[in-house]
């Protein structure tokens, strides 16, 4: 039977979902060559949210990450997730174009294009921008559940996406909401309406059904699935490569991947997780509540944090129920960034204040004005829209027009003639102080993989029983390990 190929998500969605984007560049570099030789169709590396995380928290240069990883991974195409540059601010087209251009110049070869509304105009603009800079575009059809997101909706969206003649379409299920039954309905529907453009699947394990959806899609003709290498699979992440490959093989398919080459990668990231205190992904129990509120896992923790700050942490369930009502009144946006955050924040405010829409965020106002997608303005409940826009702040923001400066104007405002394009994009997203602090931290920390002889020797020696101290010495260099005494003091 047919070959099944895999797109790796470990270095992007895997640690974004499970480690809060906490994987460092050095961690990636230690196993990049092994991943390159494994036979992946592509390897996801970065999205725009990683730029801020790298600089602010990891104190690493994201452009250096892209360059260094692309020097190690030469055989396999590296992929960018090309949604918005700044998830919570309206980005000028000139900045988006430069963002794609610099990603391509630094070594990326593919771009998975997203629009949170599955909007054709946005797809078209982004696909054209990707092609202009030499990135191969793949268009996401984002899955959601609502009265608006019907079979006919997805058939129409597939027909629209097919007119762009992209390399592939991707059925993207960021909330892990797909079931095997919906997969069985949607995959043939999209395939029939996509003018023979190949379809890949990207799902999550949030409800525990991700691996089953992958197998259902494979049986229906999908030949490329997105998976992660454990311990960065399962949980809220993507299905495990090993699990999907093993089950596909049992069904008679041929996984086009070198399992054995990835076993050391699994062992390495497991050791990293234990040493750094990062979560290890594990299969989750089926959770029907996820289908009711559709609030992503990361947002649930944020909602709880907002409520905790005002002493209302016991009202989380009420806030989730309110999120269901707000989503319906907002016209059933797909619960992905930034729309899910707009819904969640407004729901939290409604619960905290005690009167619905008495207070609203500027983002809710811009949403009602159609600035986060015309669909928001068109499908929002009219009474709610009037309530949001009828206040003084609503009338004030209605007069504002999002600026569309040229890149030369952006450079004059925040850069200067000597600023590189890479630095200009960082300055668009971050403060000069944050960037300076990142630069002062120096180059990425080096992480050693198990292939280093000293690491291997120490691992083997620590397995021996009866030794409390291990000392390795060569010339003027020595390493000493001492076993911790856990006995209570007398």
């Amino acid at each position: 039977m047919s070959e099944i190929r895999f797109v790796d998500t470990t270095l992007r969605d895997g640690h974004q979902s499970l480690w809060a984007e906490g994987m460092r560049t050095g961690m990636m570099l230690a196993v990049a060559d092994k991943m390159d030789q494994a036979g992946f169709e592509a390897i996801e590396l970065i999205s725009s949210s990683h730029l801020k995380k790298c600089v602010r928290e990891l104190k690493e240069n994201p452009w250096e990450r892209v360059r260094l990883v692309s020097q190690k991974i030469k055989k396999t195409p590296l992929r960018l997730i090309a949604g918005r540059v700044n998830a919570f601010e309206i980005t000028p087209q000139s900045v988006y174009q430069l963002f794609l251009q610099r990603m391509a110049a630094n070594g990326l070869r593919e771009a998975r294009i997203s629009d949170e509304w599955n909007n054709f105009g946005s797809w078209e603009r982004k696909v054209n921008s990707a092609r202009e800079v030499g990135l191969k575009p793949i268009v996401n059809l984002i899955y959601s559940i609502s009265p608006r997101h019907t079979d006919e909706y997805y058939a129409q969206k597939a027909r629209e996406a097919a007119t762009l003649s992209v390399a592939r379409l991707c059925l993207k299920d960021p909330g892990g909401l797909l079931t095997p039954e919906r997969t069985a309905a949607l995959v043939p529907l999209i395939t029939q309406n996509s003018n023979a453009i190949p379809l890949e699947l990207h799902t999550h394990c949030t409800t525990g059904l991700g691996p089953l959806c992958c197998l259902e899609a494979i049986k229906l003709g999908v030949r490329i699935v997105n998976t992660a290498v454990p311990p960065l699979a399962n949980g809220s992440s993507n299905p495990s490569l090993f699990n999907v490959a093993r089950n596909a093989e049992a069904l008679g398919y041929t996984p086009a991947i070198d399992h054995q080459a990835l076993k050391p990668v699994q062992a390495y990231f497991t050791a990293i997780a234990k040493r750094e205190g990062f979560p290890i992904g594990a299969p989750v129990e089926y959770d029907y509540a996820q289908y009711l509120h559709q609030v992503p896992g990361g947002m649930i923790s944020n909602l709880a944090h907002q409520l905790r700050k005002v002493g209302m942490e016991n009202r989380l369930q009420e806030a989730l129920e309110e999120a269901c009502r707000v989503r319906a009144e907002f016209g059933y946006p797909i619960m992905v960034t930034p729309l899910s955050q707009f819904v969640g924040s407004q729901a939290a405010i409604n619960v905290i204040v005690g009167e619905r829409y008495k207070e609203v965020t500027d983002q809710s106002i811009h949403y009602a004005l159609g600035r986060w997608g015309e669909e928001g303005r068109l499908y929002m409940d009219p009474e709610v829209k009037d309530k949001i826009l009828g206040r003084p702040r609503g009338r004030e923001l209605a007069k504002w027009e999002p600026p569309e400066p040229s890149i030369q104007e952006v450079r004059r405002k925040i850069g200067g003639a000597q600023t590189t394009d890479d630095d200009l994009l960082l300055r668009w997203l971050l403060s000069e102080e944050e960037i300076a602090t990142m630069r002062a931290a120096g180059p990425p920390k080096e992480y050693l993989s198990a292939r280093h002889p000293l690491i291997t020797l120490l691992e083997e020696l620590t397995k021996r029983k009866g030794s409390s101290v291990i000392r390795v010495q060569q010339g003027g260099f020595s390493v000493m390990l001492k076993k911790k005494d856990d006995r209570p003091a007398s």
Side-chain angles (χ1 to χ4, degrees):
M1 295 178 75
S2 299
E3 272 193 347
I4 307 301
R5 305 194 66 81
F6 297 88
V7 173
D8 179 73
T9 62
T10 311
L11 305 185
R12 203 281 303 178
D13 210 349
H15 77 98
Q16 182 169 316
S17 296
L18 293 174
W19 292 359
E21 299 179 351
M23 187 183 293
R24 294 183 173 276
T25 300
M27 297 175 184
M28 300 177 183
L29 294 175
V31 289
D33 53 347
K34 289 187 182 299
M35 297 185 73
D36 192 27
Q37 297 304 316
F40 287 114
E41 180 75 9
I43 294 174
E44 285 189 1
L45 179 61
I46 199 166
S47 66
S48 60
S49 65
H50 291 214
L51 274 66
K52 287 185 178 180
K53 177 76 175 192
C54 276
V55 174
R56 282 180 177 160
E57 297 186 32
L58 304 182
K59 305 295 186 287
E60 293 185 347
N61 188 332
W63 299 113
E64 190 173 12
R65 169 176 296 185
V66 175
R67 285 191 292 271
L68 291 173
V69 174
S70 65
Q71 289 167 14
K72 291 264 190 179
I73 298 179
K74 298 179 180 179
K75 178 180 175 183
T76 312
L78 287 171
R79 182 181 287 188
L80 164 71
I81 306 306
R84 294 178 178 270
V85 177
N86 190 337
F88 302 107
E89 291 184 16
I90 298 167
T91 302
Q93 174 60 20
S94 62
V95 173
Y96 185 80
Q97 184 74 22
L98 184 63
F99 171 69
L100 294 187
Q101 179 187 323
R102 295 313 304 161
M103 286 293 178
N106 281 294
L108 301 194
R109 290 156 59 186
E110 295 184 357
R112 187 150 61 80
I113 304 293
S114 267
D115 177 78
E116 55 270 14
W117 291 99
N118 289 327
N119 177 271
F120 174 76
S122 176
W123 283 344
E124 184 177 40
R125 173 177 59 82
K126 292 176 179 178
V127 164
N128 289 338
S129 294
R131 283 183 171 137
E132 284 178 23
V133 301
L135 292 170
K136 182 168 77 173
I138 295 100
V139 167
N140 283 329
L141 292 173
I142 306 177
Y143 177 68
S144 188
I145 301 172
S146 83
R148 286 188 51 236
H149 297 95
T150 62
D151 284 2
E152 178 48 39
Y153 168 92
Y154 282 103
Q156 175 61 28
K157 291 299 175 182
R159 289 191 288 271
E160 291 176 5
T163 65
L164 298 171
S165 301
V166 290
R168 281 193 297 279
L169 303 182
C170 178
L171 176 55
K172 178 187 175 183
D173 175 30
L177 299 172
L178 271 177
T179 64
E181 293 79 13
R182 282 304 283 150
T183 305
L186 284 177
V187 167
L189 188 72
I190 293 171
T191 303
Q192 292 161 13
N193 286 277
S194 58
N195 197 26
I197 295 175
L199 178 67
E200 66 180 67
L201 176 67
H202 179 103
T203 188
H204 284 250
C205 300
T206 320
T207 60
L209 298 178
L212 294 175
C213 294
C214 287
L215 296 179
E216 191 64 36
I218 287 169
K219 289 189 282 187
L220 292 164
V222 170
R223 294 293 171 261
I224 302 172
V225 292
N226 291 200
T227 57
V229 175
L232 289 146
N234 297 310
S236 58
S237 182
N238 313 108
S240 162
L241 165 76
F242 300 122
N243 176 272
V244 175
R246 183 174 63 251
N247 284 307
E249 196 167 22
L251 290 171
Y253 298 91
T254 303
I257 199 76
D258 185 348
H259 302 210
Q260 293 307 311
L262 293 169
K263 288 295 183 181
V265 176
Q266 179 183 18
Y268 166 75
F269 281 126
T270 301
I272 289 286
K274 291 177 179 177
R275 187 174 70 204
E276 302 289 329
F278 290 152
I280 290 177
V284 299
E285 294 181 343
Y286 177 74
D287 181 10
Y288 182 70
Q290 190 68 29
Y291 294 92
L292 300 178
H293 56 71
Q294 298 185 45
V295 176
M299 244 201 73
I300 293 176
S301 60
N302 185 53
L303 266 179
H305 176 68
Q306 287 179 274
L307 294 169
R308 195 178 301 115
K309 285 198 299 185
V310 292
M312 294 184 179
E313 58 265 38
N314 61 320
R315 300 180 69 180
L316 177 60
Q317 186 57 41
E318 185 182 343
L320 290 173
E321 291 169 2
E322 177 64 10
C324 296
R325 289 190 285 272
V326 171
R327 183 184 181 229
E329 292 162 347
F330 273 36
Y332 292 105
I334 299 174
M335 294 294 276
V336 293
T337 300
L339 305 184
S340 58
Q341 281 82 356
F342 298 165
V343 169
S345 294
Q346 190 59 56
I349 290 170
N350 290 352
V351 169
I352 291 167
V353 173
E355 182 180 335
R356 304 186 76 237
Y357 300 107
K358 182 179 181 180
E359 294 183 14
V360 300
T361 64
D362 281 359
Q363 291 166 335
S364 291
I365 295 171
H366 286 304
Y367 180 99
L369 290 166
R371 292 187 179 134
W372 291 99
E374 187 66 7
E375 294 92 337
R377 183 184 68 80
L378 293 174
Y379 297 122
M380 181 177 261
D381 179 276
E383 289 185 14
V384 171
K385 188 195 301 182
D386 290 344
K387 208 179 276 189
I388 290 174
L389 297 181
R391 64 195 68 216
R393 182 61 172 166
R395 291 189 289 272
E396 177 188 346
L397 290 180
K399 300 173 185 177
W400 178 78
E401 286 296 328
E404 277 292 340
S406 67
I407 207 65
Q408 290 78 17
E409 291 170 322
V410 172
R411 191 181 298 281
R412 281 197 294 271
K413 183 178 180 181
I414 63 171
Q418 304 305 313
T419 305
T420 67
D421 288 341
D422 290 349
D423 283 352
L424 185 65
L425 286 164
L426 292 184
R427 290 191 184 191
W428 176 263
L429 294 166
L430 298 140
S431 71
E432 288 189 37
E433 182 181 356
E434 289 170 325
I435 296 168
T437 302
M438 174 269 291
R439 294 201 188 287
K445 176 183 174 183
E446 184 179 358
Y447 286 78
L448 303 180
S449 70
R451 71 176 183 273
H452 287 74
L454 178 58
I455 301 297
T456 304
L457 175 62
L458 291 174
E459 285 180 347
E460 291 301 316
L461 289 174
T462 55
K463 294 176 185 177
R464 295 186 178 184
K465 296 179 179 179
S467 299
S468 59
V469 177
I470 297 171
R471 184 176 182 184
V472 179
Q473 183 169 350
Q474 182 177 22
F477 174 80
S478 68
V479 174
M480 186 171 73
L481 300 179
K482 187 176 182 180
K483 185 176 289 185
K484 183 180 178 183
D485 189 351
D486 293 325
R487 291 175 299 178
S490 57

